[in-house]
Amino acid sequence: MRNVRLLMISCGAALTAALAFTPTRAASVPSAVYAITGARIHTVSGAPIPNGTVVVRNGVIEDVGPGITVPAGAMTIDAAGLNLYPGLIDMANSTPLEAGDDAAAAAAGRGGGGGGRGGGTQFATLEEAERAKRETILRPHYLAAENLRAGTPELQALASAGVTTVLAVPAQGIFKGQSALVNVVIPPDDPQISTLADYRRGLAVVKSPVALHVNMAGRGGGQGFPNSLLGSVAFTKQGFLDAQWQRDAEAAYQKGGGRGPRPVFEPVLDSMRPALAKQMPVAFDASEGREIDRALDTAAQFGLDPIIVGAASAGERRAELAAAKARVILSLNLPGPGGGGAPQGGGRGGGGGASQRQTQFQQNAPKVPAALAQANVPFAFTSGGAAPAVFVRNAGRVIKEGGLAADVVLRVLTLDAARLAGAADRTGSIERGKIANIVVTEGDLFEGGRVRHVFIDGRPIDLTEPPAAPGGGRGGRGGGR
């Protein structure tokens, strides 16, 4: 009997300890239920619903369709005469990432994409300089999902334009790191008491990682190798070769029972294994035709699953892209008046009008998406550095000037983007069980319609008026020549 009593006391103590150290979330008011009624619902996954209702609960779409009964106690939004869409997805954007990434780049004495010669830290030896430079341009292990920031005006501007989700892409380096699909607004989290993990930033993450990003022209400045475009191409290929060698050397060592000298090991290179095994795509920054050719050749050499980002000349390489089974993230930082892209000047002299090639490029830019669609090349859109409102307006240019149907453009900005990111099972369309990222507009979204309501993760977002669009955006890879 005494043993039984001791056992009961021990079990009770263990239960008390377990409860004391179990991660708990403080009691909170249940998530609000919303019903958006009377809208024309562009589901993307099916035909539009002329007069339908969407019910949102616990961050997901609970029900959608005509004649849906509004749950008792739901907060109702009368959307009669309005349009309802899935939230738009910008498939290459560094806005959600901490600015410390850029600061570290400047301190290391090299620029980001192109290669400024800015003066940075001075090193005693060339070996030290190359080691420091290598750490800033060889970063396949960098995870965007671990470096998110929240609550910035730039992120608020994205949401207010109807862009609810972006592919967060590291901006620096040759091997830039691994992207993550994230919502631009983090929902408020319950107080976390006695938890081991901090889930706050993770609340924004829809999928991670998505792709390994490579910029073969990202040599930067500063001392050490590489310091030329040819050197950057060689650095890229050597990076993949070294990762292959390390993988194969470790496999041979293990097969031999761990006998003999251990192979040298660089942890950073191990993060490239999923890409070499085609378990993760590799996204190459490539705008010009020759850059696309170089990226596709590298992908073929190492057996990679290629995505081309920027891709201004993708229309000229659509046959090659289709043959390589490549996917494209096409920049909508279009050239031309009001397009957001680089202004079309008169060449290196700085004067005069645009050249015939520049004029042709400006006219053809909105037509590239239709060319890719005709060639059955899967693609999504990125703002390419354009302001969020310009990004959406340029999608309208693709419809009006490029001849791509409005429903196709909407699908590319939503479900096709989610599919490219490997997240079509959870976002990108108005369907039951999917994340409630929703945009409601007065008028057509691509014809200057006004955004009236935005929901991210099932919560309404405060909207801000976008600033007047400047004549030219920041530009991005493929944003204009």
Side-chain angles (χ1 to χ4, degrees):
M1 182 67 182
R2 182 173 179 273
N3 290 338
V4 172
R5 183 182 179 187
L6 289 174
L7 178 61
M8 293 177 64
I9 292 173
S10 299
C11 290
L15 178 59
T16 301
L19 290 174
F21 291 98
T22 297
T24 60
R25 299 179 73 85
S28 60
V29 178
S31 179
V33 180
Y34 297 90
I36 308 171
T37 64
R40 178 176 178 81
I41 302 173
H42 302 264
T43 64
V44 177
S45 57
I49 301 171
N51 182 7
T53 295
V54 175
V55 177
V56 174
R57 188 193 302 268
N58 294 326
V60 300
I61 298 170
E62 181 178 81
D63 208 353
V64 56
I68 299 295
T69 300
V70 175
M75 299 180 64
T76 302
I77 296 174
D78 182 3
L82 305 182
N83 288 289
L84 185 150
Y85 306 90
L88 306 184
I89 302 175
D90 180 351
M91 280 295 287
N93 196 315
S94 62
T95 299
L97 297 178
E98 293 178 336
D101 189 32
D102 294 333
R110 90 285 183 275
R117 298 179 179 273
T121 305
Q122 298 299 313
F123 300 96
T125 67
L126 182 59
E127 181 183 5
E128 290 180 3
E130 288 199 347
R131 183 181 298 113
K133 187 171 185 176
R134 187 164 56 246
E135 290 177 355
T136 59
I137 62 178
L138 180 63
R139 312 189 312 158
H141 59 300
Y142 180 97
L143 296 177
E146 294 181 356
N147 294 275
L148 299 178
R149 58 178 178 166
T152 68
E154 293 81 6
L155 293 171
Q156 185 67 40
L158 284 163
S160 297
V163 180
T164 62
T165 311
V166 303
L167 185 66
V169 176
Q172 300 297 331
I174 293 179
F175 289 91
K176 301 197 296 184
Q178 300 176 32
S179 57
L181 191 68
V182 302
N183 287 334
V184 298
V185 174
I186 297 177
D189 58 322
D190 296 336
Q192 298 175 33
I193 301 172
S194 301
T195 59
L196 297 181
D198 186 349
Y199 298 101
R200 284 173 292 180
R201 294 190 182 187
L203 292 172
V205 177
V206 177
K207 185 177 188 296
S208 174
V210 172
L212 171 64
H213 289 255
V214 175
N215 179 9
M216 295 175 76
R219 59 191 179 276
Q223 306 175 59
F225 174 81
N227 54 16
S228 67
L229 176 59
L230 184 61
S232 296
V233 174
F235 185 95
T236 303
K237 295 190 174 185
Q238 190 63 52
F240 283 118
L241 282 169
D242 288 352
Q244 278 186 337
W245 182 91
Q246 180 166 295
R247 176 200 61 191
D248 296 342
E250 177 63 23
Y253 182 68
Q254 294 291 344
K255 187 176 181 180
R259 297 179 181 275
R262 297 190 309 278
V264 294
F265 176 70
E266 166 55 76
V268 167
L269 295 176
D270 252 17
S271 60
M272 296 167 64
R273 284 195 183 194
L276 292 171
K278 278 192 173 181
Q279 297 169 351
M280 179 189 301
V282 178
F284 293 92
D285 292 345
S287 181
E288 299 278 357
R290 61 181 177 272
E291 294 174 330
I292 295 174
D293 294 341
R294 191 181 298 131
L296 294 180
D297 288 345
T298 302
Q301 179 180 352
F302 295 100
L304 309 174
D305 177 15
I307 298 173
I308 304 300
V309 182
S313 299
E316 302 171 3
R317 296 295 193 274
R318 57 189 181 274
E320 291 83 353
L321 290 164
K325 297 182 179 180
R327 292 165 286 173
V328 170
I329 298 176
L330 184 64
S331 173
L332 283 189
N333 195 358
L334 302 178
Q344 300 299 307
R348 296 183 183 275
S355 68
Q356 181 177 355
R357 176 171 172 77
Q358 288 172 326
T359 301
Q360 183 179 13
F361 172 72
Q362 179 175 325
Q363 293 173 345
N364 289 340
K367 302 175 183 178
V368 173
L372 293 177
Q374 188 175 15
N376 294 316
V377 176
F379 66 98
F381 291 133
T382 171
S383 61
V390 175
F391 176 45
V392 177
R393 184 169 69 239
N394 283 349
R397 286 185 59 188
V398 170
I399 298 169
K400 294 176 183 178
E401 303 172 31
L404 201 60
D407 62 329
V408 175
V409 170
L410 177 62
R411 190 188 70 226
V412 171
L413 279 164
T414 54
L415 190 57
D416 285 356
R419 184 174 293 112
L420 195 153
D425 58 339
R426 65 202 75 171
T427 192
S429 59
I430 305 297
E431 297 181 77
R432 292 177 183 174
K434 286 197 170 183
I435 298 170
N437 289 347
I438 296 169
V439 178
V440 180
T441 67
E442 181 179 353
D444 189 287
L445 179 62
F446 303 123
E447 295 181 0
R450 179 187 173 197
V451 176
R452 294 286 300 274
H453 304 280
V454 173
F455 284 75
I456 296 180
D457 265 322
R459 293 171 172 84
I461 303 302
D462 292 333
L463 304 181
T464 59
E465 289 293 331
R474 288 178 296 162
R477 297 290 302 168
R481 298 195 183 184

